[in-house]
Amino acid sequence: MAEQQIKVAVLGGGSFGTALASIAADNGAHVRQWMRDEALVAQINQEHRNGRYLPHYAMNPAVQASTDLHTVLDDAELVLISIPSKAFRSVVQAAKPWLKASQILVSTTKGIESDSFLLMSQVLADETGFSHIGVIAGPNLASEIADKQLTATVIASADALTRTRVQQALGCRYFRVYASNDRHGVELGGALKNIYAIAAGMAAALGMGENTRSMLMTRALAEMSRFAVAQGANPMTFLGLAGVGDLIVTCSSNLSRNYRVGYAMGEGRSLEEAVSALGQVAEGVNTVKLVCAKAQEMGVYMPLAEGLSHVLFGGVPAQEMARTLMMGEQSSDVEFILPREAVQQAHLDNRGWHE
């Protein structure tokens, strides 16, 4: 007996949502994609191309686009939500009349909601109360996925059905989908790494070398996992694709939106100039402010994020951030092996040695 064709709805007309819609269609799914822009809908339906975000990508012609949420969500088993964090909740609220508890809802957005500090899958749970909720995160530059370059991602959910269905719908010869049950850790990894991509872009524009980038990324990983563990995530998640994997690609590639914002600022442009030149949402800009405030509230030490916040919002030149990176106290390296407090105590105990 032939397998039943899975029905997939994609909410969002950006680059990642478009790539996932086309992959699902390539895999034989029945795919509908929702977006607000009528001209973009017409272009996808007629030319099978998203000229705004992935102009050179030939989409699977079976993907049907629409501005009508009801049409897109009707009978969908799997709903992928690829909406920037600022509009995420409002789109979920608009979709609610056509959502059912049996559906699988998966966020692909790497961001944090401003007023609540909720991650997007938490917004989904908050709005719907459904049990099949997950998140996709990992080193996933949409333009490379569109070129069918080998890529891996993580579907994270406490729900086995959610993990399995996403693997079945999206896994193919060039797009590997790995499973995790640490939804919170995977989603935090995806949101937090955006901060450090901005810093890496700045460092590159200032002419810093590979040693600097390596140090920046490694210290960023320590900082990300320190914050995430304080939030209840598993530190081991950060050794995976959604942690170090995503951090590597977003801190190394000029295809990364956050990296490009940092690079422009490192060249001397203002935040406003850097963001407007990009023409897309760079989630890391919003995330820096939110994470720094939360870290202060929780007492989590995050010197890189703090330094970056001063450059983005405090008028401090990018060169100064580079200096503060080197002026921070020399503490421990992998903090889950040697706690920072133990290093600080050893410094106190041995203060007189070279005085």
Side-chain angles (χ1 to χ4, degrees), residues 121-159:
S121 72
Q122 293 172 316
V123 172
L124 282 175
D126 188 38
E127 285 291 340
T128 67
F130 293 173
S131 54
H132 304 306
I133 287 178
V135 60
I136 288 173
N140 302 149
L141 296 170
S143 56
E144 289 194 1
I145 298 168
D147 288 339
K148 295 186 166 49
Q149 296 203 26
L150 292 178
T151 299
T153 198
V154 179
I155 169 63
S157 178
D159 173 51

Side-chain angles (χ1 to χ4, degrees), residues 288-355:
V288 175
K289 194 181 283 186
L290 296 174
V291 166
C292 285
K294 181 62 80 172
Q296 283 183 334
E297 182 189 308
M298 293 165 59
V300 179
Y301 179 61
M302 299 188 80
L304 295 182
E306 286 283 330
L308 186 59
S309 179
H310 293 316
V311 178
L312 292 179
F313 310 112
V316 173
Q319 292 92 326
E320 289 299 311
M321 191 205 78
R323 204 165 295 135
T324 57
L325 177 64
M326 298 308 292
M327 296 305 291
E329 62 175 304
Q330 296 179 109
S331 186
S332 51
D333 181 15
V334 184
E335 292 171 35
F336 302 109
I337 298 171
L338 177 63
R340 203 164 63 89
E341 292 74 19
V343 178
Q344 289 170 329
Q345 189 58 51
H347 279 254
L348 289 172
D349 293 345
N350 295 284
R351 263 184 305 203
W353 180 66
H354 59 43
E355 285 173 7

Side-chain angles (χ1 to χ4, degrees), residues 41-58:
V41 164
Q43 186 180 43
I44 288 171
N45 289 337
Q46 289 158 25
E47 299 174 32
H48 314 300
R49 194 171 63 88
N50 183 331
R52 183 168 175 196
Y53 292 107
L54 287 175
H56 307 298
Y57 179 39

Side-chain angles (χ1 to χ4, degrees), residues 104-137:
I104 294 164
L105 307 181
V106 177
S107 163
T108 76
T109 301
K110 296 172 177 177
I112 299 169
E113 189 175 52
S114 293
D115 48 358
S116 66
F117 205 82
L118 291 179
L119 297 158
M120 298 304 105
S121 72
Q122 293 172 316
V123 172
L124 282 175
D126 188 38
E127 285 291 340
T128 67
F130 293 173
S131 54
H132 304 306
I133 287 178
V135 60
I136 288 173

